Amino acid sequence: MTSSLIDYYTVSACAAENGTITPSGNFSVALGGSQRFNITAYSGYHVAAVASDNVSQGVLSSYTLSNITGPHTVAVSFAINTYNLNVTQTSNGVIIPGTSNVNYNDTPTFT
């Protein structure tokens, strides 16, 4: 009788608030296998960082672990979109503030 043993390793994937990574959670991948992850930020946010085993992989919309030979962790963080507002003033008045940074979904106040 011949038997074949295949090693499996745990891969953990998690996303911080304001976005998703798919698949997520803990799952098993066979020795030498690969796993692709899709990363999506919610409206008004963007991917801030992708890390594999605490090593930065950059800002990505997808990430693939290839030739898996041990357990791995993939973590994703997101940041709110920020917009720079430059206000043009006429010669008959002053608008304060003249320039400001505004986060997504904020309502700036000018006087």
Side-chain angles (χ1 to χ4, degrees):
M1 176 178 196
T2 303
S3 66
S4 174
L5 297 176
I6 298 175
D7 290 334
Y8 286 87
Y9 296 100
T10 300
V11 174
S12 300
C14 64
E17 292 182 359
N18 302 310
T20 62
I21 185 169
T22 306
S24 66
N26 297 325
F27 46 92
S28 296
V29 178
L31 172 68
S34 296
Q35 179 63 55
R36 177 185 166 96
F37 299 92
N38 292 312
I39 302 160
T40 306
Y42 293 159
S43 180
Y45 294 83
H46 60 275
V47 176
V50 176
S52 177
D53 301 325
N54 295 318
V55 176
S56 176
Q57 302 301 310
V59 175
L60 307 167
S61 60
S62 67
Y63 177 69
T64 301
L65 284 171
S66 299
N67 191 26
I68 294 172
T69 59
H72 291 281
T73 300
V74 178
V76 183
S77 63
F78 303 92
I80 195 165
N81 293 344
T82 301
Y83 306 94
N84 186 5
L85 299 180
N86 292 311
V87 178
T88 303
Q89 305 173 54
T90 66
S91 59
N92 297 328
V94 175
I95 300 174
I96 300 172
T99 301
S100 62
N101 290 319
V102 179
N103 287 337
Y104 171 80
N105 217 23
D106 279 354
T107 303
T109 301
F110 298 95
T111 56

